[in-house]
Amino acid sequence: MAQIDVVTAEVLRNAVVVAAEEMSSTLVRTAHNPLLYDVQDFGLGIISPEGECWADAPGMTAFVGVLSHTVLSGIAVHGLENMRDGDLFIANDPYTTGNHISDVSIYMPIFHEGRLVAFAAVTAHWADIGGKTPGGWCPDSVDVYQEGICFSHEKLIDGGGPVGALWSIIRNNTRCPDVVLGDLNAQIAACRQGALRLTALCAKYGLDQLHAAMRLAIQRAEDDARRQISALPDGVYTVSQRMDEDGVARGDPFDVVLTLTIAGDGIHASFEGTSEVRAGPVNCPEHAARSLVRAAIKGVLSPTEPANEGDFKALSFDIAPNLVVSPQRPAPVDSYGYMCIAVWELTMRALAMVVPDKAVAGGGQLCMPTLSRVDPRLGMPFVLADPLDVGNGARPNVDAPTMAIPTMGDVPNMPVEVIEMRYPVRVERFGLRPESIGHGRFLGGAGVRRDYRLLEPGIMVYTAFENVGDPLGRGRDGGLDGAPPVVVVNPDTDREVVMKSRAGIGPFEPGEVISMRSGGGGGWGAPADRDPAQVARDVRNGLLSEADARSIYGVVAEPA
């Protein structure tokens, strides 16, 4: 085994992180869909020949955590000995990638002088993947076969040459093939950028030195994680969340239960008590559930250090098959994102009992419309998925941020100008939703409101929202809960409809309005303990009404 000095190891570790970041920049600059180049609905990284994460880059948290398993699954299918320079593989099978079928992974082996260096891997949400619902996020699929094309680690490029039949299948089975193929080529470009950077490192330092540096980086990350866990009090911490419904069995709630057991230098996660797999598409593939627990713990223990596989070696899991967090084929999974966010929030809720100074109160659940038109006789076909930012949970010493979705990492909102330029939609209102704030000594973040006026005929809208009955944005230590998401059709008219659950609705007539309103974060601490001067500023800033200042905080304040 090659030996390496600490300085060289640190140089190489950071160089691999930068390689992943350059992959991200390449994808953003070459993608065709604003869901990628603006919202950054992707995850990417460098994976070792053993299937361990060397480095990732800012993007969708849930994606990055399952890239290692995706590559390992591909290795199991093909064998390392059958992979060669110039090959590139594609996979979106939920049961081997951990994602829903719209999130397509590609990965390529990187070689230097005939030896395998690592894999470059990218997962990105495609604009469409076929299936019964344009753009994915089907609200009521009953099996995975309804959800779109399923790739199971096929070769997309074989020895440098494209596998034409597979490319033809993609083009002829997606509703916006030019966008889809453009994004696929952007993913390939990102992988090639990663390969370029790693082979340059091998040429300068040698492959053995690179591998030695990353083994050391992973070991140091594991040692640090175990030190931090050892400092936590041993104990068993159980939390639960009730979900509204699965989209098929309407009005039939179900439960997710998470138990974290801290013992010595390890944390064990169990989902015992969680409801069995559901008939509708809210089921969350097991590797996604694992990924979100791991990411939340990493976010509390060492949020500023770049992640690698070592951060997670002290974590173990007990997940029985056929739970809502461990579905088996062909259970539907297309709306798995609600469960991803719930698992993240449950992990944070459990950690708040252990390290309250580092944890946060509950944050808002996903709220997103997918607007689409398929029939070209009615106008240009398009698919627009627009995940809204939410209110985050307050901390024990500061108000919460707004305009972020925790499980989705550094995902920004889609600019109004891009929406109006590319799609037959006018955004007539986009702003904070103060009534969603969870009040307390420190405020939860506000959700947002976005009103879309549909300008042309034939447009369908598929709404995505959850946890209306039992909001995720729970307050902490006396703080109040944030309000859940809500969707209103044609607000403030005699045709107003307040939606109680997600559905596909339409087609709409030109001029109709869909108002999406995301949930708020929970407050921390009792409202009576909030500084009256800050309450007055909240009123002046439009975050609080005069009536609420009096009734919730006992403060008389006037707006600016």
Side-chain angles (χ1 to χ4, degrees), residues 359-362 392-401 438 442-445 476 521-524:
V360 297
N392 303 124
R395 296 189 179 188
N397 56 1
V398 69
D399 290 347
F442 298 102
L443 298 183
R476 184 76 186 165
W524 195 297

Side-chain angles (χ1 to χ4, degrees), residues 18-175:
V18 170
E21 292 172 347
E22 288 197 44
M23 290 173 62
S24 176
S25 297
T26 299
L27 182 60
V28 167
R29 290 170 179 162
T30 56
H32 287 218
N33 183 357
L35 196 61
L36 299 186
Y37 64 72
D38 272 321
V39 178
Q40 299 179 30
D41 189 352
F42 59 75
L44 45 80
I46 306 293
I47 311 298
S48 78
E50 296 76 31
E52 294 187 325
C53 177
W54 278 0
D56 61 24
M60 190 73 71
T61 305
F63 291 172
V64 172
V66 295
L67 281 176
S68 296
H69 184 75
T70 298
V71 172
L72 276 173
S73 299
I75 292 172
V77 170
H78 295 281
L80 288 176
E81 68 279 6
N82 297 315
M83 294 180 172
R84 58 178 179 155
D85 199 6
D87 286 350
L88 187 140
F89 302 87
I90 185 169
N92 68 341
D93 179 347
Y95 316 100
T96 64
T97 67
N99 299 312
H100 70 163
I101 213 160
S102 294
D103 299 328
V104 182
S105 301
I106 68 165
Y107 55 95
M108 63 178 292
I110 302 168
F111 289 86
H112 176 69
E113 296 180 349
R115 298 173 62 192
L116 179 62
V117 178
F119 291 86
V122 180
T123 299
H125 187 114
W126 282 11
D128 188 67
I129 193 66
K132 71 191 292 284
T133 303
W137 276 93
C138 180
D140 57 1
S141 55
V142 297
D143 59 51
V144 73
Y145 307 113
Q146 294 182 332
E147 296 175 350
I149 311 168
C150 185
F151 304 111
S152 298
H153 303 278
E154 288 82 13
K155 278 189 181 181
L156 186 67
I157 296 178
D158 188 359
V163 179
L166 193 52
W167 287 76
S168 178
I169 287 171
I170 295 170
R171 172 170 287 281
N172 291 307
N173 288 275
T174 53
R175 295 174 176 87

Side-chain angles (χ1 to χ4, degrees), residues 208-459:
D208 291 339
Q209 289 281 282
L210 176 61
H211 281 173
M214 297 317 299
R215 282 194 297 269
L216 179 60
I218 289 172
Q219 186 61 57
R220 291 173 66 184
E222 179 183 356
D223 292 344
D224 182 63
R226 291 190 181 278
R227 278 194 301 271
Q228 294 195 61
I229 294 170
S230 295
L232 302 178
D234 287 357
V236 179
Y237 307 92
T238 299
V239 289
S240 64
Q241 176 68 43
R242 173 146 289 197
M243 310 296 285
D244 292 340
E245 59 180 40
D246 64 22
V248 171
R250 294 291 189 178
D252 183 14
F254 60 97
D255 298 305
V256 190
V257 181
L258 173 67
T259 299
L260 295 185
T261 301
I262 300 174
D265 65 354
I267 298 179
H268 181 74
S270 169
F271 284 89
E272 184 178 357
T274 293
S275 296
E276 293 184 351
V277 66
R278 307 297 295 179
V282 298
N283 301 298
C284 176
E286 178 180 337
H287 292 285
R290 290 171 178 259
S291 173
L292 270 302
V293 172
R294 297 188 341 165
I297 292 174
K298 162 71 173 172
V300 168
L301 296 183
S302 55
T304 61
E305 280 295 309
N308 67 44
E309 201 71 28
D311 289 297
F312 314 118
K313 287 182 176 289
L315 310 182
S316 59
F317 292 85
D318 176 19
I319 307 179
N322 289 310
L323 302 179
V324 72
V325 292
S326 56
Q328 311 294 303
R329 181 179 292 277
V333 300
D334 206 25
S335 295
Y336 84 130
Y338 311 122
M339 290 298 304
C340 287
I341 294 176
V343 168
W344 168 285
E345 291 291 347
L346 284 171
T347 308
M348 279 293 180
R349 204 177 293 168
L351 292 172
M353 295 188 281
V354 186
V355 281
D357 58 319
K358 292 185 177 181
V360 297
Q365 177 59 277
L366 179 76
C367 181
M368 176 181 75
T370 298
L371 293 79
S372 65
R373 179 172 55 203
V374 176
D375 191 342
R377 293 171 298 179
L378 298 174
M380 177 189 70
F382 72 92
V383 177
L384 163 63
D386 187 21
L388 301 187
D389 291 328
V390 303
N392 303 124
R395 296 189 179 188
N397 56 1
V398 69
D399 290 347
T402 290
M403 304 292 285
I405 306 176
T407 60
M408 298 185 178
D410 298 320
V411 177
N413 66 275
M414 192 179 299
V416 169
E417 295 83 356
V418 171
I419 294 174
E420 295 185 340
M421 179 179 68
R422 291 193 53 144
Y423 306 104
V425 174
R426 184 166 64 240
V427 179
E428 297 201 333
R429 179 170 178 169
F430 180 41
L432 297 180
R433 185 186 168 214
E435 66 272 20
S436 67
I437 289 172
H439 296 285
R441 180 181 181 188
F442 298 102
L443 298 183
V448 299
R449 173 177 172 175
R450 198 168 229 182
D451 291 2
Y452 309 79
R453 187 173 295 277
L454 311 180
L455 303 179
E456 295 179 2
I459 297 176

